[in-house]
Structures are given as structure tokens and as C-alpha cells.
Amino acid sequence: MPSILITSTDPSQHANYDRWLQRLESDIQLRYLTPGMDIGAEIAATDGLLLPGGGDPDPALYGRPELLHLCNVDAARDTLEFTAIREAVDRQLPILGICRGMQVMNVALGGTLIADLPTSGFDAHHRTAGKDRVHAIRILPDTMLQSIGAVADSDVNSAHHQGIDLVAPRLAVSASCADGTVEALEWRQPSGKPFLLLVHWHPERLPADHPLADSIGHAFLNAIRTSHSTP
């Protein structure tokens, strides 16, 4: 049975991801990778990695420790995910990153973040009154994301206060917001590389018929099946 690791310091906060993926594919094993586990062994025994939403990466990791006061850092997740990302990339596993997952992957590969979007002049992305914001994004042509969603633009949900600043050298933008905020990343040179999609919105919380919801989950799961069946 194919398996996916979900990184977390508190699995109870990530039940939405379980429900989403199990609804799309019941024949899939979902396990949590938490601090204290043997990360190398767990990565070696799985077929894909999901980096979910959560707290902020420590700005010291991208050379801006003075921005710490703008962040709600989850240091244990940082340690866990930096190692997991390195191991997963080395083993060429499919990776899906959502919200924080997009941010930490960009940092782990050498990119930087905007520590707080509202104080940097971007005020359309964080939650208000406990609810996701909604805004439009434009998908770049000839990207994997465009082939997955089969649309050139769409409205998406939004619940993040941080954003991508410098894109990691190995990554490329595949969607953005009208204010210039990066909304999706993928491999810059995808040939010969495994599935990698990083998005700022939450597909697990969107309606099933949304063009950038279940289609993303299915694409990830298809890559997982391929990874599982390849010796």
C-alpha cells in the first residue's frame, strides 16, 4: 500500500489533510512524522511527503533574525522539516507543500520570506474574523500547475501572513496574486525530477469541484503511486 508522511508537531491540528487525501484515495497509508522519530528511516519507508500548514519558519534560517518579533516560530517543525526535506529530495520523493509547507520548502532550498505581509503592504492574504480570505490568482502558462488545474486564473482561499521573497534557485513561480505575492512554486527544471508542487492556498479546505483543489490531490497521489511501484 502506498504511504505518505505528513510532518507535524501536533497531528490533531492536521485532520483536514487526512480526510482530504483519504476521500480521494482510500487505499493510501497516512502517517505522521513527528519530532523524536528516525527521520531518515521514516523517509526511506514512505512514497511521498506532505508539508502542511502551521507556524512560521524562524527568520534566522534565511538570514533575517531581526524579524523574529513578526513571527510565530515553530522551531521543532523547522528542525523536523529541514531534515525531512533534505532526505526526501535526495530520495526523489514526490512532495506537496501547503501554506507553511511552501514557505519552509523555499527556505530549505535557499530562498527567503516576507516575514509579515500586512506590515509589508500586502493586506489580502491573512485570515480575518477567523475566516479564510478569498482572492484571485493568475497561473503561468506551460507550468505543471496549469496542466493540473486546466485554468489560467482562479479564486483561492488564503490564510497566511507570510510570503515568498526571494525564490530558491531550484524553484520557479507558477502562480501569483495581482499584488505580486507568489502563490505557487514548482521545480525550475522539472525534467528528471519527482513531483513537487508548493501552494499558498489550502486545497483541502476548498470544494471538491474547485479546479485547484482535488485536482492537486489527485496529481500528488498519482505521483505517489508511481513512486511506490518503481523499484
Side-chain angles (χ1 to χ4, degrees):
M1 179 184 294
S3 67
I4 297 173
L5 278 179
I6 304 173
T7 54
S8 181
T9 51
D10 183 0
S12 67
Q13 293 184 354
H14 296 130
N16 278 345
Y17 300 92
D18 282 14
R19 287 191 289 267
W20 178 50
L21 292 172
Q22 291 285 2
R23 176 173 59 79
L24 297 179
E25 176 60 81
S26 60
D27 188 24
I28 193 81
Q29 181 184 21
L30 302 177
R31 298 183 293 117
Y32 281 93
L33 181 63
T34 58
M37 299 175 71
D38 185 332
I39 298 173
E42 294 294 329
I43 292 290
T46 196
D47 303 297
L49 180 66
L50 173 61
L51 304 168
D56 303 328
D58 189 332
L61 294 170
Y62 50 91
R64 298 296 304 276
E66 72 277 10
L67 300 177
L68 181 61
H69 68 285
L70 295 171
C71 305
N72 179 24
V73 168
D74 188 339
R77 278 278 297 273
D78 291 342
T79 301
L80 178 75
E81 290 177 336
F82 264 57
T83 302
I85 287 167
R86 183 180 66 248
E87 295 279 348
V89 170
D90 286 348
R91 290 185 173 273
Q92 295 202 318
L93 293 183
I95 299 174
L96 175 62
I98 295 172
C99 201
R100 171 199 159 91
M102 173 181 175
Q103 296 161 8
V104 75
M105 184 78 182
N106 185 61
V107 173
L109 294 181
T112 66
L113 301 179
I114 299 170
D116 186 61
L117 290 170
T119 57
S120 297
F122 304 93
D123 198 34
H125 303 272
H126 58 288
R127 301 188 89 192
T128 57
K131 296 183 178 180
D132 291 353
R133 302 286 281 275
V134 176
H135 62 70
I137 63 168
R138 173 57 57 92
I139 301 171
L140 276 67
D142 303 319
T143 58
M144 182 180 68
L145 179 61
Q146 187 192 50
S147 69
I148 290 171
V151 291
D153 49 56
S154 179
D155 288 338
V156 295
N157 56 357
S158 186
H160 57 97
H161 84 103
Q162 297 202 320
I164 303 300
D165 188 8
L166 296 179
V167 176
R170 284 186 279 174
L171 301 178
V173 177
S174 53
S176 60
C177 185
D179 64 9
T181 305
V182 174
E183 293 292 332
L185 295 168
E186 54 191 66
W187 289 124
R188 179 173 296 279
Q189 296 180 331
S191 179
K193 292 185 177 67
F195 177 96
L196 173 67
L197 183 60
L198 311 169
V199 299
H200 252 151
W201 63 92
H202 284 267
E204 81 283 0
R205 296 206 297 256
L206 287 172
D209 60 353
H210 189 285
L212 299 175
D214 284 6
S215 60
I216 288 173
H218 283 302
F220 181 47
L221 289 166
N222 287 338
I224 296 293
R225 295 187 200 98
T226 301
S227 175
H228 179 72
S229 63
T230 301

